[in-house]
Amino acid sequence: MLVSLRERFEAPLRHGLEPLVEWLAERQVTPNQVTAAALALSLLAALCIGAGWLRLGAVVLIVAGLGDLVDGMLARASGQASRFGAFFDSTLDRLSEGAVLAAVASRFASDGRPLLVALVVVALLGSLLVSYTRARAEALGVECAVGLMSRAERMVLLIAGLLLGLLGPAILLLAVLTLYTVGQRMQHVREALGGDG
């Protein structure tokens, strides 16, 4: 369901962001500057979540997520796409996701919910493995943009949990579905490599 939602809404969203991308390009804002700003917003969202302002944190995360779209669009529109830019973006994405999930764990710890803290650790591990399996597969020459829970889907699930007051169930789903996605990617790579080993 999350994948179909992404396919349905990503193109109109990108279209709606085009005027902003043009405005940034005219002012010679670089994609890496947008990436850094998105990280700063994610860290602000983490602070909000850690302080217990969950819905405010969700709103800030939405804006940060838009920045994550804009940087790539700006790179292509301005002819500034580069391998380092992709590396920089991916690295800061992991940092921002880790900071937000650490804030969620801190919130659960403050509320005396150790089981949910443990689930956040599993969700973070799963999220990092989703990214790692794709990077490792592509280093082997296998395209690996497959599976249910890419970064966009993970953020949608987390934001929904924050907005709806269902953060515990959202983290449980995140933990289960990220590990499922890791399994999907491992199977995909095994098949692409002919099942060797």
Side-chain angles (χ1 to χ4, degrees):
M1 183 179 69
L2 289 173
V3 174
S4 63
L5 286 174
R6 182 182 184 186
E7 291 172 349
R8 180 175 180 180
F9 292 112
E10 185 173 1
L13 182 57
R14 287 182 180 275
H15 180 71
L17 289 171
E18 285 175 0
L20 174 60
V21 172
E22 292 172 4
W23 184 85
L24 292 171
E26 288 170 1
R27 283 150 185 81
Q28 298 184 326
V29 176
T30 69
N32 287 348
Q33 288 172 336
V34 176
T35 301
L39 171 63
L41 286 169
S42 293
L43 295 177
L44 177 59
L47 289 173
C48 292
I49 293 166
W53 303 328
L54 303 187
R55 289 183 175 83
L56 177 59
V59 171
V60 178
L61 265 184
I62 290 170
V63 179
L66 293 177
D68 202 38
L69 273 177
V70 167
D71 59 5
M73 293 173 64
L74 179 61
R76 290 184 289 273
S78 61
Q80 297 182 70
S82 67
R83 288 184 296 176
F84 175 75
F87 170 81
F88 185 69
D89 179 56
S90 180
T91 301
L92 265 59
D93 281 350
R94 304 291 80 73
L95 179 58
S96 63
E97 193 168 5
V100 170
L101 286 174
V104 172
S106 174
R107 187 72 256 151
F108 286 147
S110 296
D111 293 341
R113 304 168 80 181
L115 179 58
L116 287 175
V117 174
L119 281 174
V120 174
V121 174
V122 175
L124 177 58
L125 176 62
S127 296
L128 292 175
L129 282 172
V130 168
S131 301
Y132 173 79
T133 48
R134 177 175 179 177
R136 190 70 182 95
E138 292 179 353
L140 295 172
V142 178
E143 181 63 36
C144 196
V146 300
L148 182 63
M149 297 299 285
S150 70
R151 175 170 162 77
E153 287 77 29
R154 296 195 301 271
M155 287 298 98
V156 168
L157 180 56
L158 183 57
I159 288 168
L162 290 165
L163 288 174
L164 298 174
L166 297 171
L167 190 52
I171 289 298
L172 174 59
L173 279 174
L174 192 60
V176 171
L177 294 179
T178 51
L179 293 178
Y180 175 72
T181 302
V182 171
Q184 287 181 301
R185 291 188 170 185
M186 290 178 68
Q187 180 63 23
H188 170 77
V189 173
R190 186 175 188 274
E191 292 173 357
L193 295 176
D196 63 337

